[in-house]
Amino acid sequence: MTAIHAPSASFGAVSDALALFGRHTRHIARTPEKLLGVTLMPVAYVVIFGVLFGAAIALPGGGAYGEYLMAGIFTQTMLSSVSSTALGVADDLGNGLVDRFRSLPMSQGAVLLARTASNLVLSLVSIVVMAAVGLAIGWKVSAGAAGALAALGLLLLFGFAMSWLGALIGLVVRGAEAISALAFLIVMPLTFLSNAFIPLDGLPGWLRAVCEWNPVSSVVAACRELFGNPAQAGTSFPMRHPVPMAVALTLAVLLVCAPLAVRAYRGAVAR
């Protein structure tokens, strides 16, 4: 008689995550306003900063500001995954979806993995649209296809880590207004106290040090290096080694936030 074995826990978790990932991506396709939300604002940033500010900002050592800008816009958009994921997770908790999941024999971690992975789809769409607009206004990738793919991978990894940070915030804070306020307090300082939009050489010494050690600055500098775009080399360790610093800091955020988010989710569904 042939024995029937139950699927392993890890296989079941992957299967659950894939099923929920399909659900989230179908929901994205059925709500095109979500796609508009993640594409219109980044495109507006590319046009406004690239066209209007490009003529007024001179880069140290030369180079086109439009090319300098693109890595900053890409990274800022990935950083915004914090608020979008937090609001999505809080909505799942509030509308009873999580209660229905709790009644099913499914992995709890798969729920958050599917939510954060589906956010990568939106992030990829944003990057493609922004890249198309950037190329139209003069952005060039000078480092070749390998560098561009490496930069794309780094951006998606950063967006994935920010999604897990957002999931943790959504589970702990829950209220939409409080989430928006907290996400604003995280995203705005990290974006503007960085090298995303302006060169750092004109800042006071202490402020320049803060900006150079900002993890966002490492991701932006790494993408500029990988794209072959104008890059301002600083004297601090993160600016001299942007690629390994960006990967290490992003993985550190991911390794801290993912277990904490899964733990917070288990606490939330147990109430």
Side-chain angles (χ1 to χ4, degrees), residues 79 114 167:
L79 189 58

Side-chain angles (χ1 to χ4, degrees), residues 101-134:
F101 289 159
R102 185 170 52 180
S103 66
L104 300 173
M106 60 187 301
S107 166
Q108 295 178 343
V111 176
L112 296 180
L113 179 59
R115 167 64 69 178
T116 52
S118 66
N119 245 35
L120 282 182
V121 176
L122 291 173
S123 298
L124 184 59
V125 171
S126 298
I127 289 174
V128 171
V129 173
M130 283 187 293
V133 175

Side-chain angles (χ1 to χ4, degrees), residues 167-190:
L168 177 59
I169 292 173
L171 289 163
V172 173
V173 179
R174 299 195 182 191
E177 292 183 358
I179 287 173
S180 297
L182 182 57
F184 179 84
L185 291 176
I186 293 173
V187 172
M188 293 301 287
L190 285 175

Side-chain angles (χ1 to χ4, degrees), residues 19-75:
L20 292 175
F21 176 78
R23 177 189 180 278
H24 287 309
T25 50
R26 286 193 298 274
H27 185 66
I28 292 172
R30 292 169 183 169
T31 52
E33 59 269 22
K34 280 191 173 183
L35 293 175
L36 291 177
V38 299
T39 54
L40 287 182
M41 185 59 72
V43 167
Y45 274 120
V46 172
V47 174
I48 293 172
F49 281 86
V51 176
L52 296 183
F53 293 174
I57 297 179
L59 300 178
Y65 180 73
E67 295 182 11
Y68 179 87
L69 170 70
M70 289 304 297
I73 296 288
F74 285 137
T75 306

Side-chain angles (χ1 to χ4, degrees), residues 174-252:
R174 299 195 182 191
E177 292 183 358
I179 287 173
S180 297
L182 182 57
F184 179 84
L185 291 176
I186 293 173
V187 172
M188 293 301 287
L190 285 175
T191 300
F192 289 101
L193 289 177
S194 75
N195 59 358
F197 301 127
I198 59 171
L200 303 180
D201 63 323
L203 299 179
W206 66 271
L207 184 56
R208 177 172 179 169
V210 169
C211 294
E212 289 185 348
W213 281 90
N214 180 347
V216 172
S217 292
S218 296
V219 177
V220 172
C223 289
R224 285 179 183 139
E225 182 175 311
L226 293 170
F227 283 135
N229 291 153
Q232 180 197 26
T235 57
S236 65
F237 184 83
M239 294 298 98
R240 286 186 285 113
H241 309 282
V243 175
M245 278 297 296
V247 173
L249 290 172
T250 301
L251 289 176

